[in-house]
Amino acid sequence: MTTDHVRNEDLIGRADLDDLESILSISNADVDEVRHIVRAESDAIFTWDYERTRPALGKLYEKAKTSQWNGSTDLPWDTKVDQAEVALSNMGQAQRFPEGTDFSGTAFESWGDDEWIQLAVESQNWTLSQFMHGEQGALICTAQIVETVPWIDAKYYASTQVMDEARHVEVFARYLDEKLSGHYPINAHLRMLLDDIVADSRWDMTYLGMQVMVEGLALASFGFIHQMTTEPLLKQLLRYVMSDEARHVAFGVLSLKEFYDELTEAELRERQEFAYEAAVRMRDRFLQQEVWERMGIDPKEAMALVLADEGRPLFQQMIFSKIVPNCRKLGLLDANDQWLRHRFEELEVIQFEHAVDTGEEYAMLDEVARDREAATSVG
Ligand SMILES: [Fe+2]
Ligand SMILES: [Fe+2]
C-alpha cells in the first residue's frame, strides 16, 4: 500500500499542492498553435434498442429542445462596453490579493492606478478566453458522447448539448472580439485536463471530466461573475449560458448515478482519482500565470502573494461549490475509505458537500423559459 503523498506525486506530479515551481513548470510552450490534435481511442457505439427507458433523461431532452436560444438575436449586442470600468467591478473581487497585503519590496510597490486597471483588464481577457476554450472542450466532448454512450436517451440529449456548446463558443468569442481587448491562448493546465478527458476511451470518464468537473466549475464561476457584473450584455449572456449549463451538469449526474451504482470499489477508485486530478488542474489554472507574465511580473512572486496568509481567495474555493455536492451524490466522496473526501479536505473545499446538487436544479435555472413566459404574458 502506498502512502497518499506518493500517490499525489503519481497523480498530479507533485507532493505539495501549492508547490509553485511545479505548477509553473507546466506552461503553454506553443502559444501560436492553431490546430491541436488529440488521439481519441474510444469506440463509437450504435444501439438497436430504441426503447425510451430513461424518463429523467427524456425530460431533460424535451427541456433542451424548447429552451434553445439564438446567440445572434437574443442578446443585446449593441450595448456599449467600457472595458476598464467593467473589468474593475467584475474582476477586482475574483483575483484579489488578501486584505492588507504588504507590497513593499515587491514589483507591485511602484504600481499606480493605471497598472491596477490594466491588471483587471488583462484578467478579464484571460478569464473570458479560458471560458471560451473550455466551451470548445465541451463541444468536442459532447460530440464524442453522442458516439460513445450506449443509451438512446443519452444520445438524444447529448446531441442537443452539442448545439448548446457551439452557441457558447460563439457568444464568448464574439464578446471577446467586439467588447474586450484581446484573446489569451489556452492555459496549459486546462489544456492538459481537456486532453486527458478527450483521450480517455471510457465513455463515463468523458462525462465525469466534462459534465461533472469542468462544467460544474463553469456553472459556479459563471454564477459568481453574473452576480457581480453590472454590464448588461455580459450579464444576459451568462444568464442564458448558465441555463444551459445547469442542464448539462444534470445530464452528467443523472447518467453517472445509474452507471456508478454498478461499479466495484476498484473501478470507483479510478473515477475518484480522475476527479481529484481534474480538480487540481482547474485549481492550478486559476493562478492565471499568463496574466502575470504579460504584466511583466514574475508569476511566482505574484502567486506567492495571492496565496499568502489565508490561502486561496474565496473565489477559488467557491468555484468548487457545484462539484463537491455532485461528487457526493455520485458516491465518489466516500467510496474506498473516503479517499476523495480526504483529498477535498486538503483542497479546502469539503465544506460544499451539502450544497444543492445539480440533479434537479436545472428547472429552476431555466431563464430562457422564464423570459419567454414573461414576453407572452405581456403580449
Ligand atoms: Fe457550455
Ligand atoms: Fe455545457
Side-chain angles (χ1 to χ4, degrees):
M1 190 69 191
T2 49
T3 69
D4 281 335
H5 272 120
V6 174
R7 297 297 302 156
N8 241 355
E9 275 164 347
D10 291 343
L11 286 172
I12 59 169
R14 60 185 195 261
D16 172 10
L17 277 171
D18 283 331
D19 177 348
L20 295 180
E21 294 280 353
S22 163
I23 295 173
L24 283 167
S25 71
I26 296 170
S27 65
N28 190 342
D30 185 5
V31 292
D32 297 320
E33 178 186 61
V34 176
R35 290 188 347 151
H36 177 62
I37 296 166
V38 183
R39 181 113 206 113
E41 303 279 357
S42 43
D43 294 338
I45 301 182
F46 283 85
T47 172
W48 312 127
D49 178 3
Y50 296 95
E51 204 179 331
R52 307 291 300 276
T53 52
R54 294 180 173 81
L57 292 184
K59 201 172 138 198
L60 206 55
Y61 178 47
E62 291 305 316
K63 188 94 196 146
K65 286 190 282 185
T66 56
S67 293
Q68 292 290 313
W69 49 281
N70 185 337
S72 313
T73 54
D74 287 330
L75 298 178
W77 288 108
D78 54 359
T79 306
K80 285 241 167 305
V81 176
D82 176 340
Q83 196 192 355
E85 194 188 302
V86 173
L88 276 182
S89 64
N90 288 358
M91 310 315 296
Q93 293 287 329
Q95 302 298 344
R96 199 172 52 180
F97 290 98
E99 205 77 46
T101 299
D102 180 7
F103 292 113
S104 50
T106 74
F108 296 98
E109 193 175 18
S110 59
W111 274 23
D113 285 352
D114 287 353
E115 285 84 1
W116 288 109
I117 290 171
Q118 193 55 34
L119 173 64
V121 165
E122 291 299 337
S123 280
Q124 194 184 36
N125 290 338
W126 181 88
T127 302
L128 276 277
S129 295
Q130 302 315 319
F131 286 167
M132 175 180 68
H133 300 310
E135 293 291 356
Q136 190 186 166
L139 174 65
I140 286 177
C141 284
T142 2
Q144 213 178 16
I145 288 175
V146 173
E147 294 190 340
T148 59
V149 68
W151 312 327
I152 195 70
D153 286 299
K155 286 183 189 291
Y156 288 162
Y157 177 77
S159 73
T160 67
Q161 191 180 332
V162 175
M163 182 61 222
D164 291 351
E165 303 301 2
R167 182 168 59 240
H168 298 174
V169 181
E170 173 204 339
V171 296
F172 279 117
R174 182 167 173 189
Y175 191 84
L176 274 156
D177 283 339
E178 293 184 10
K179 310 296 177 185
L180 303 187
S181 50
H183 289 206
Y184 272 79
I186 188 164
N187 170 273
H189 301 280
L190 176 60
R191 190 179 63 190
M192 203 174 180
L193 173 60
L194 295 179
D195 287 1
D196 280 352
I197 298 172
V198 170
D200 203 297
S201 62
R202 296 161 292 186
W203 65 266
D204 74 289
M205 291 299 203
T206 321
Y207 268 97
L208 176 62
M210 181 48 65
Q211 255 74 8
V212 175
M213 303 302 291
V214 177
E215 304 206 88
L217 178 131
L219 190 56
S221 44
F222 294 165
F224 191 81
I225 296 174
H226 170 261
Q227 247 181 9
M228 266 184 336
T229 190
T230 52
E231 196 283 272
L233 169 58
L234 183 62
K235 207 171 180 81
Q236 181 68 340
L237 184 158
L238 289 171
R239 189 166 162 260
Y240 276 9
V241 170
M242 281 163 64
S243 312
D244 296 340
E245 295 304 347
R247 275 197 307 278
H248 304 168
V249 182
F251 175 50
V253 173
L254 290 170
S255 306
L256 290 184
K257 182 89 186 94
E258 172 180 341
F259 186 69
Y260 285 0
D261 284 347
E262 307 295 319
L263 295 187
T264 63
E265 287 279 296
E267 288 167 328
L268 282 175
R269 173 65 183 253
E270 288 173 7
R271 274 75 189 168
Q272 291 175 305
E273 290 177 358
F274 195 81
Y276 173 61
E277 197 187 326
V280 173
R281 302 282 172 232
M282 293 192 294
R283 189 172 177 266
D284 290 348
R285 94 173 169 84
F286 272 95
L287 290 169
Q288 56 167 28
Q289 62 204 63
E290 300 84 0
V291 171
W292 305 119
E293 282 158 13
R294 197 167 290 187
M295 292 297 296
I297 295 276
D298 173 6
K300 204 175 158 196
E301 181 178 36
M303 285 154 64
L305 285 169
V306 170
L307 298 180
D309 303 337
E310 304 142 63
R312 302 260 166 168
L314 183 64
F315 171 73
Q316 292 189 20
Q317 295 176 335
M318 271 193 49
I319 53 177
F320 288 93
S321 61
K322 302 285 176 195
I323 288 173
V324 182
N326 287 330
C327 284
R328 177 171 174 272
K329 184 161 187 174
L330 292 173
L332 288 180
L333 284 188
D334 292 326
N336 293 294
D337 298 327
Q338 308 187 314
W339 189 86
L340 190 59
R341 171 180 297 280
H342 294 317
R343 300 291 83 73
F344 282 164
E345 281 166 3
E346 287 163 13
L347 290 171
E348 298 175 66
V349 295
I350 195 67
Q351 65 273 26
F352 298 114
E353 71 165 308
H354 296 294
V356 54
D357 71 68
T358 318
E360 292 298 332
E361 199 185 28
Y362 69 90
M364 277 157 25
L365 287 174
D366 190 351
E367 299 291 336
V368 176
R370 195 162 294 152
D371 283 1
R372 296 223 172 110
E373 251 165 56
T376 44
S377 65
V378 169

